[in-house]
Amino acid sequence: MQITPSPVTAAAAGVVSALVMTALWPRLGDDSLYWVLAFLLVIALPVHVFVVGFGRARPASSADPAMIRRVAVWLVAGLATVGIGLLFGR
């Protein structure tokens, strides 16, 4: 299954990452291994799949405006989700 990263998939990844990490945060405790695994599975993996994508590597010297836009959408969606959660509380 080929997943093409787009602003919509980036926003969805941001919302899901924010919701899941907010729920996991109090349960992770003090063990750093749980923190590393949580960040890898909840943040790094969705970002790589839904924001960056699995394509051919581009030269480091060229900036990809579409990817920069997707990263910005991912960050804004995650921050908006956390902000709305804080605004309405639990």
Side-chain angles (χ1 to χ4, degrees):
M1 177 163 118
Q2 183 69 15
I3 298 173
T4 305
S6 69
V8 174
T9 62
V15 169
V16 169
S17 293
L19 289 174
V20 172
M21 200 61 194
T22 303
L24 281 179
W25 194 279
R27 295 174 178 84
L28 289 176
D30 293 331
D31 192 4
S32 62
L33 179 63
Y34 291 141
W35 282 95
V36 170
L37 290 175
F39 274 96
L40 284 175
L41 292 175
V42 176
I43 294 176
L45 183 64
V47 166
H48 188 71
V49 174
F50 297 109
V51 178
V52 177
F54 294 112
R56 290 187 170 205
R58 296 195 175 142
S61 61
S62 65
D64 184 8
M67 186 175 70
I68 294 170
R69 192 174 309 118
R70 289 191 306 265
V71 169
V73 167
W74 175 75
L75 286 171
V76 168
L79 290 173
T81 302
V82 170
I84 290 170
L86 290 173
L87 185 66
F88 290 110
R90 290 188 199 186

